[in-house]
């Protein structure tokens, strides 16, 4: 039996840790020991460990190499501010409309993947982010800026919004189906019901077979192979798309 069983907060659409009051999503069996939480104070050290691992960083862009503690602190500060604002917004909406169906929100406050131990403590093992869409497939800079701005102006809950998903897991946890389950949980428990997300893109380096398969197992299809200049080299990049009709 794993710790952090929690009770469900129906306004948030998340479980709540009864000891810390932290919201989280738990994966289904056989990965019920994996939870996804908002960022915490102190996660900068975990982010540093994750993104300074060249086995990970080499497959990611625009993660800088080398990835330093300053980068990790800046990443955590931005992530925590976004997550806290979203959770506060949800609680405020619920206070104003306590009897209505949960309102759509413009982001995902949970992004830190953790393995819960039998004693209730947990270990940081990965990271997932959801943001308004990246247009790496639009090669003309002016056109890219235009479509990015158009996407950013769309009203929260608009089903035509392009969302982008990025994800990473410590290498020692690869090959266990964890990230496939994480993406499925985030998409179907949060992006679709709480954001009305209907269209998600991801971009993976062509040699990153593992990430491509994870996306395909969740219904994404490869729609193009692009050639991008990454860290001074021309790299082939898979353009992956998920739409509700693919699910």
């Amino acid at each position: 039996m794993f710790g952090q069983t929690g009770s469900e907060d129906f306004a948030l659409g998340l479980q709540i840790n009864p000891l810390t009051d932290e919201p989280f999503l738990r994966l289904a069996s056989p990965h019920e020991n994996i939870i996804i939480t908002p960022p915490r104070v102190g996660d900068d050290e975990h982010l540093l460990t994750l993104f300074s691992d060249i086995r990970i960083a080499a497959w990611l862009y625009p993660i800088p190499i080398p990835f330093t503690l300053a980068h990790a602190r800046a990443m955590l500060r931005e992530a925590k501010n976004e997550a806290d604002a979203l959770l506060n917004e949800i609680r405020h909406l619920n206070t104003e409309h306590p009897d209505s169906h949960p309102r759509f929100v413009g982001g995902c406050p949970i992004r830190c993947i953790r393995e819960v131990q039998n004693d209730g403590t947990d270990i940081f093992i990965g990271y997932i982010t959801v943001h308004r869409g990246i247009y790496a497939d639009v090669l003309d800079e002016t056109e890219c800026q235009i479509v990015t701005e158009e996407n950013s102006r769309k009203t929260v809950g608009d089903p035509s919004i392009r969302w982008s998903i990025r994800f990473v897991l410590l290498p020692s946890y690869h090959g266990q189906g964890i990230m496939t389950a994480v993406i499925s949980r985030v998409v179907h428990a949060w992006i679709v019901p709480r954001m009305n997300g209907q269209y998600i893109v991801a971009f993976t380096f062509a040699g990153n077979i593992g990430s491509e398969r994870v996306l395909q197992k969740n219904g994404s299809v490869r729609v193009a192979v692009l050639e991008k200049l990454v860290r001074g080299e021309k790299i082939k990049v898979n353009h992956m798309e998920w739409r509700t009709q693919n699910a």
Side-chain angles (χ1 to χ4, degrees), residues 14 121-122 139 151 200 205 208 220:
L14 300 168
T121 60
D122 56 53
L139 303 182
N151 194 58
I200 305 169
F205 290 175
N208 190 351
S220 291

Side-chain angles (χ1 to χ4, degrees), residues 38-222:
R40 300 173 185 165
V41 173
D43 276 341
D44 49 346
E45 295 286 350
H46 304 310
L47 292 170
L48 177 62
T49 299
L50 188 67
F51 290 111
S52 63
D53 188 329
I54 194 63
R55 294 171 297 173
I56 293 173
W59 295 107
L60 302 176
Y61 184 78
I63 293 296
I65 299 177
F67 188 83
T68 67
L69 182 57
H71 293 131
R73 286 173 173 167
M75 179 183 286
L76 176 61
R77 183 167 53 251
E78 180 179 1
K80 195 169 187 316
N81 287 343
E82 288 178 2
D84 289 349
L86 279 167
L87 291 169
N88 288 335
E89 177 188 354
I90 296 166
R91 293 186 178 105
H92 177 71
L93 287 171
N94 185 59
T95 299
E96 285 192 335
H97 310 280
D99 300 322
S100 66
H101 187 277
R103 299 296 208 267
F104 293 132
V105 294
C108 180
I110 53 167
R111 59 180 70 189
C112 298
I113 307 165
R114 308 182 197 269
E115 181 185 46
V116 181
Q117 309 302 293
N118 287 329
D119 64 359
T121 60
D122 56 53
I123 301 170
F124 185 107
I125 65 169
Y127 200 60
I128 182 169
T129 63
V130 183
H131 289 103
R132 294 225 182 189
I134 298 168
Y135 285 85
D137 50 311
V138 180
L139 303 182
D140 181 82
E141 290 187 11
T142 301
E143 184 182 354
C144 182
Q145 182 177 353
I146 290 171
V147 294
T148 300
E149 290 175 353
E150 288 176 348
N151 194 58
S152 68
R153 287 195 297 268
K154 292 178 180 178
T155 304
V156 168
D158 186 331
S160 70
I161 293 174
R162 176 194 267 210
W163 296 100
S164 293
I165 191 168
R166 288 173 168 168
F167 52 92
V168 60
L169 195 67
L170 285 173
S172 56
Y173 288 85
H174 289 182
Q176 302 177 41
I178 293 173
M179 190 55 77
T180 299
V182 165
I183 291 176
S184 176
R185 189 80 168 111
V186 170
V187 168
H188 297 291
W190 192 267
I191 296 177
V192 172
R194 296 312 311 265
M195 297 164 58
N196 199 29
Q198 310 290 319
Y199 174 30
I200 305 169
V201 301
F203 296 91
T204 67
F205 290 175
N208 190 351
I209 304 300
S211 291
E212 184 179 359
R213 286 177 177 167
V214 163
L215 291 163
Q216 289 172 335
K217 288 176 183 177
N218 277 287
S220 291
V221 296
R222 183 172 59 198

